Amino acid sequence: MNSLFDDADIPPPVPELPEGAHYLPGWLTAEQQRWLVHRFFEWAQGPVPPRGAIVRGHEMSVKTVCLGWHWRPYQYTRDAVDVNGNRVLDFPDWLIRLGQKALADATGDAAAAAQYQPDAALANYYDEHAHMGMHQDRDEKSRAPVVSLSLGDTCRFRFGNTENRNKPYQDLELRSGDLFVFGGPSRLAYHGVTQVYPGTAPAHCGLDTGRINITLRETGLTPEGA
């Protein structure tokens, strides 16, 4: 007897994660995914184009466009001084609300989520060859949670410990529409993307090739700067 469902229709199992880490598969609807993909391409046409940041003398394979604050390794600035000197796009209010809803749904703590005020977004584009090495998100003064949304092709996401890049870590397959949040004791966990699986993006998501990852953060910086 044939199954009524393809494997792609069956949500992946939710693994046991360290305290402070939360994984919600399929959190975004198809319509929401398409809408966010369109926003990414609008941002990419803004005053600062996507670029691969230079880390220890090497250009990252991931191309990033920033909102609110411009990130480059170890620092946030209002202006993209390492690209073209232009000021990045403002951080929209709807992204604050999206981040609050994501945090409330992930943690079940609506009161804490209402206090969440992300002011920077890193929107990363991965082609089929791109990856991101294990790293900590520690350039923010605030240690509020990081909210991460996946669009397009599936990737292998490695979520590790807070001490080093080695084991213990867990590998998860993040698909289009998935939500991942890490805060609290897991806020400084090492994490990275080891592989992108080309051709796995669902037809409904609005992205023909590659993967987009949108991460929201609280920088803890004043409007005038660091």
Side-chain angles (χ1 to χ4, degrees), residues 22-24 27-28 94-109 113 116 118 145-149 178-182 214 216:
H22 308 273
Y23 170 45
L24 275 66
W27 186 72
L28 293 168
W94 64 263
L95 262 183
I96 298 176
R97 296 192 297 271
L98 181 64
Q100 291 172 342
K101 177 170 173 48
L103 200 56
D105 288 355
T107 66
D109 189 341
Y116 186 52
V146 173
V147 170
S148 172
L149 300 167
D178 288 357
L179 167 67
F180 195 89
V181 172
F182 55 102
I214 301 173
L216 311 182

Side-chain angles (χ1 to χ4, degrees), residues 15-36:
E16 187 74 24
L17 291 168
E19 183 182 356
H22 308 273
Y23 170 45
L24 275 66
W27 186 72
L28 293 168
T29 67
E31 182 180 9
Q32 290 169 333
Q33 292 171 51
R34 288 193 300 272
W35 194 84
L36 285 172

Side-chain angles (χ1 to χ4, degrees), residues 93-169:
D93 288 343
W94 64 263
L95 262 183
I96 298 176
R97 296 192 297 271
L98 181 64
Q100 291 172 342
K101 177 170 173 48
L103 200 56
D105 288 355
T107 66
D109 189 341
Q115 302 302 312
Y116 186 52
Q117 293 292 314
D119 60 344
L122 275 60
N124 300 314
Y125 178 78
Y126 294 73
D127 65 20
E128 61 182 291
H129 305 294
H131 65 279
M132 186 173 289
M134 296 287 280
H135 65 283
Q136 294 173 302
D137 289 349
R138 61 180 311 128
D139 295 337
E140 302 80 22
K141 288 186 176 181
S142 170
R143 290 295 180 251
V146 173
V147 170
S148 172
L149 300 167
S150 292
L151 304 163
D153 283 338
T154 299
C155 79
R156 182 191 296 143
F157 175 67
R158 180 162 292 172
F159 192 73
N161 63 82
T162 59
E163 301 300 322
N164 55 55
R165 296 174 174 83
N166 305 321
K167 293 183 177 180
Y169 55 69

